Amino acid sequence: MFGLGTPEIILIVVALVLLFGAKKIPDLMRGLGSGIKEFKKAAHEVDEEIKDQQLENK
């Protein structure tokens, strides 16, 4: 996973808890998840439009 080992992941988690606090992390992750979901949806729509354009040009 991106060349990160267990000690690095633990250090990142500890830094996140110190910066944002344990109560805000679920909200941040929820927002990140919805952002990724929207990005994937938009990328899929663009891909479909490109495929449609290629079919029309043939």
Side-chain angles (χ1 to χ4, degrees):
M1 184 170 114
F2 303 114
L4 296 176
T6 303
E8 290 87 3
I9 294 174
I10 291 172
L11 183 62
I12 291 170
V13 169
V14 168
L16 285 173
V17 170
L18 290 174
L19 286 173
F20 298 109
K23 292 184 179 182
K24 291 219 178 209
I25 291 176
D27 292 335
L28 291 170
M29 294 300 114
R30 197 172 301 118
L32 180 64
S34 65
I36 291 171
K37 182 180 175 182
E38 287 294 320
F39 178 79
K40 286 183 178 181
K41 180 181 173 186
H44 180 71
E45 289 175 358
V46 169
D47 189 41
E48 290 297 318
E49 284 185 33
I50 291 171
K51 287 180 182 177
D52 289 344
Q53 288 294 324
Q54 287 176 346
L55 289 175
E56 287 178 4
N57 291 335
K58 285 187 177 182

